[in-house]
Amino acid sequence: MAGLEVHIGNLKLKNPVMTASGTFGYGTEYADFIDLERLGGIFVKGTTLTPRQGNDYPRMAETPSGMLNAVGLQNKGVDYFVEHLYPVIRNYDTYMIVNVSGSTIEDYVACAEKLADLDKMPAIELNISCPNVKEGGMAFGTSCQSAAQVTREVRKVFPKTLIVKLSPNVTDISEIARSVEAEGADAVSLVNTFLGMAIDVETRKPKLSTITGGLSGPCIKPIALRMVWEVFHAVKIPIIGMGGICNWKDAIEFILAGATAIQVGTYNFIDPAASVKIVEGINSYLDRNHITSVNDLIGKMIV
Amino acid sequence: MQVLDFIVRTNEALNDQNHLLKVAPADGVTLPEMFPGQFVQILVDQSSHVFLRRPISINFVDPEKNEIWLLIQKVGEGSQKICSVHVGGIINLIFPLGNSFTLPEKKGKFLLVGGGVGTAPLLFLGKKMKDNDLDPEFLLGGRSGKDILQRTDFERYGTLYCTTEDGSMGEKGFVTHHSVLNEKKYDFIYACGPKPMMVTVAGYARDHGVGCEVSLENLMACGFGACLCCVEKTVRGNICTCTEGPVFNITELFW
């Protein structure tokens, strides 16, 4: 058995496979399908300071090799999370990491402060890349200045591992990555969804209530992979790669491009056990190729 | 909930639009108990145009043969592909998903209203009601007589009323215009079908002070409460039709 442990900030992940926020609920939704403790970590649903009802239905449209969503950060707020959800998930023997979103910098800071107090909450993922909310979200992640500012302010109140989730809807993702690294981010995760849309030709109406939404699934994988590779050459902090990962081969590709760990997202909907199969697949690949540790593969694409 | 491969035992075209698949666990494992109103998520072929699973109502469960019946209407590429699976072929299901219709606690007059392929879960519901000594009546509608599916199966469990748009079977018009709705007073109505039909049935139930449950077919990705795509606006806020539904009491809905 090869060494699968990887490090992100202060986190010692038992393996590099995690699940992406917004696709995995609070983990418990998948407890019938897999042993959650076999995962390196679980990024739970995007959480905001106050409850959000999310966007109107319809929120989803299937697209070639992927889907658009416009959920809009529906969640019951951080206080509900702390009181009702955290007690249920805190005892799992894997990292449970909250994805934090907000409309203002004050929102992000207040939410992060509340989470910093939880003993079994070793990290947060700062979501400055949600394309489906009118205010905040992606707006923070599309300029170096605002990305740096929100990272700086949250860093002041959150002493544990701080991961910043980047938007691909930018001219140069490396610049954004460098700017959050400079403000003390411990890692970056990329990519969030690509802004897209779909139209019903019979009704001539948009398929999403919000007209535009976030595109995910295997259709975005080549672009996400390219962005991970670019960011790998731009920053020194570890990268958590994601975008259309469906199997162990996809995961190894991201690791070779420079990701220290990966997240499985949309494909959880098609195969709820995909993440655990990927752990097994990575292990077999390493054994087969006589690679003693997955760390030896990070960024080791041969050119 | 579990993910399991099923072998297709029969695949029968009921008309040019609808197929009835009878499927059993490929490894022979005994099916868990399932309830009327629940659904399955079928993995199609993961081709580029059919990426997501397809949610399909449980039409019937035959515990003796260890079979689930799935009534599928060919509406798009995904459902076309499911209908073209050969006998002996394998399909992968996540099941059972969702809540179920509420069985009445005491005897009374119950009407199960279905339109098109929306009749699917009502057969299983009718069977369960009959098993519990509750006499269901069915009111099914379609464009023409050939669209009224599984008539002999329904008649096994209760009286069947029909409407067709072309008048080729039963009364002419929509189910919501059937004379039985004027002639009889029901204690509870269950409905599944196109949304305009369910909205009209819900309106009738409200106007007549009759309790009513409807089964919604909102677009969904996962089917088990993770993606939050299939929400319905209810008195409890936006909630997932896949886990809190698909069956809702109309008192929870805004229509």
Side-chain angles (χ1 to χ4, degrees):
Chain A
M1 169 123 181
L4 291 176
E5 186 177 300
V6 295
H7 296 180
I8 302 275
N10 291 326
L11 310 180
K12 293 181 171 59
L13 308 176
K14 62 180 87 167
N15 64 62
V17 181
M18 303 193 270
T19 54
S21 175
T23 68
F24 215 70
Y26 296 92
T28 50
E29 289 83 349
Y30 285 80
D32 278 6
F33 303 120
I34 58 168
D35 176 0
L36 298 170
E37 298 187 347
R38 292 189 61 193
L39 297 174
I42 292 170
F43 286 76
V44 306
K45 177 67 191 164
T47 300
T48 48
L49 184 60
T50 52
R52 288 183 57 97
Q53 275 294 315
N55 293 320
D56 285 344
Y57 179 87
R59 294 175 169 185
M60 190 278 285
E62 188 177 38
T63 57
S65 298
M67 61 177 278
L68 288 160
N69 90 81
V71 172
L73 293 173
Q74 177 175 334
N75 79 100
K76 291 182 173 170
V78 68
D79 291 333
Y80 183 91
F81 172 81
V82 170
E83 198 174 330
H84 299 283
L85 301 170
Y86 173 69
V88 178
I89 64 175
R90 70 185 295 277
N91 292 320
Y92 280 114
D93 179 24
T94 185
Y95 291 118
M96 291 283 184
I97 300 165
V98 174
N99 175 287
V100 173
S101 202
S103 304
T104 64
I105 287 183
E106 292 73 27
D107 284 359
Y108 280 101
V109 169
C111 198
E113 265 183 315
K114 286 172 190 265
L115 294 167
D117 293 339
L118 306 177
D119 60 339
K120 293 282 182 69
M121 186 57 58
I124 57 171
E125 180 178 53
L126 206 58
N127 181 359
I128 56 168
S129 43
C130 177
N132 291 325
V133 291
K134 279 194 188 125
E135 292 168 340
M138 194 172 82
F140 288 105
T142 50
S143 92
C144 291
Q145 196 188 352
S146 55
Q149 196 183 359
V150 67
T151 306
R152 184 187 319 136
E153 296 306 318
V154 171
R155 180 76 286 178
K156 287 177 191 166
V157 300
F158 194 80
K160 305 183 208 176
T161 298
L162 178 61
I163 302 159
V164 181
K165 186 169 183 176
L166 305 183
S167 171
N169 302 298
V170 294
T171 310
D172 183 358
I173 197 167
S174 303
E175 278 186 12
I176 310 278
R178 271 194 294 263
S179 63
V180 302
E181 179 185 41
E183 296 298 342
D186 296 303
V188 284
S189 53
L190 58 136
V191 295
N192 205 318
T193 55
F194 287 79
L195 202 56
M197 62 188 277
I199 304 169
D200 181 326
V201 294
E202 298 302 330
T203 62
R204 302 184 208 166
K205 290 182 173 176
K207 288 189 176 177
L208 300 174
S209 68
T210 47
I211 304 178
T212 62
L215 181 66
S216 63
C219 58
I220 70 166
K221 198 196 85 179
I223 320 176
L225 192 65
R226 183 262 295 173
M227 289 182 162
V228 165
W229 175 72
E230 285 177 351
V231 170
F232 180 67
H233 291 287
V235 299
K236 292 192 171 60
I237 53 177
I239 298 165
I240 302 169
M242 80 195 87
I245 294 176
C246 299
N247 53 48
W248 65 267
K249 277 189 186 175
D250 295 339
I252 295 286
E253 273 191 271
F254 274 83
I255 294 167
L256 288 169
T260 296
I262 60 100
Q263 293 180 13
V264 184
T266 302
Y267 203 69
N268 291 310
F269 303 153
I270 289 109
D271 180 1
S275 51
V276 166
K277 290 177 187 169
I278 291 171
V279 176
E280 290 163 359
I282 292 173
N283 189 50
S284 305
Y285 171 84
L286 296 174
D287 283 349
R288 202 163 56 244
N289 289 284
H290 309 292
I291 299 163
T292 51
S293 164
V294 68
N295 290 282
D296 297 339
L297 279 184
I298 298 168
K300 294 295 167 59
M301 175 174 69
I302 298 167
V303 288
Chain B
M1 293 185 294
Q2 54 183 308
V3 186
L4 200 64
D5 279 340
F6 281 71
I7 188 161
V8 177
R9 288 211 179 135
T10 65
N11 179 353
E12 181 189 357
L14 301 185
N15 60 20
D16 56 356
Q17 282 293 305
N18 295 278
H19 280 235
L20 177 64
L21 271 64
K22 296 182 179 176
V23 304
D27 61 3
V29 67
T30 303
L31 288 170
E33 188 173 15
M34 285 170 271
F35 301 95
Q38 290 189 299
F39 66 100
V40 303
Q41 277 274 50
I42 306 183
L43 185 66
V44 190
D45 61 356
Q46 298 186 75
S47 63
S48 62
H49 281 75
V50 190
F51 175 61
L52 297 169
R53 286 175 183 261
R54 294 294 185 266
I56 301 290
S57 287
I58 295 173
N59 175 227
F60 195 78
V61 175
D62 184 339
E64 280 167 27
K65 293 187 175 165
N66 205 35
E67 283 177 351
I68 300 177
W69 297 11
L70 303 168
L71 184 59
I72 294 151
Q73 182 180 23
K74 292 190 265 185
V75 288
E77 203 174 324
S79 49
Q80 299 255 12
K81 283 180 171 170
I82 298 168
C83 289
S84 66
V85 177
H86 296 292
V87 170
I90 297 288
I91 58 171
N92 181 272
L93 306 184
I94 304 179
F95 80 107
L97 299 168
N99 70 354
S100 56
F101 290 106
T102 312
L103 283 187
E105 286 175 0
K106 58 180 180 11
K107 284 190 166 236
K109 292 190 76 62
F110 309 110
L111 186 66
L112 282 56
V113 185
V117 75
T119 58
L122 303 182
L123 182 65
F124 190 24
L125 175 61
K127 160 80 162 62
K128 284 280 178 192
M129 291 179 75
K130 181 81 177 168
D131 287 351
N132 284 279
D133 245 354
L134 304 158
D135 294 322
E137 295 179 24
F138 303 99
L139 172 55
L140 309 182
R143 255 182 237 118
S144 72
K146 65 178 171 45
D147 300 321
I148 310 289
L149 308 169
Q150 301 180 296
R151 284 191 306 274
T152 50
D153 292 307
F154 278 106
E155 282 169 340
R156 201 171 295 145
Y157 306 120
T159 307
L160 174 63
Y161 305 101
C162 297
T163 61
T164 50
E165 288 171 42
D166 65 1
S168 58
M169 184 179 292
E171 294 185 13
K172 188 167 192 254
F174 294 119
V175 283
T176 45
H177 299 138
H178 196 281
S179 57
V180 74
L181 291 170
N182 290 324
E183 290 160 8
K184 291 192 178 179
K185 164 84 177 149
Y186 289 97
D187 296 302
F188 207 89
I189 296 175
Y190 302 90
C192 185
K195 189 164 177 184
M197 182 210 92
M198 290 196 289
V199 170
T200 310
V201 172
Y204 169 90
R206 264 198 201 94
D207 292 346
H208 292 77
V210 181
C212 181
E213 283 183 347
V214 294
S215 177
L216 306 190
E217 292 188 322
N218 292 7
L219 286 171
M220 56 182 68
C222 70
F224 44 86
C227 72
L228 308 188
C229 288
C230 64
V231 293
E232 180 70 19
K233 201 172 273 182
T234 73
V235 294
R236 288 185 281 150
N238 283 334
I239 58 176
C240 286
T241 55
C242 66
T243 49
E244 307 279 334
V247 177
F248 289 90
N249 193 297
I250 59 167
T251 56
E252 291 210 290
L253 303 173
F254 292 109
W255 48 269

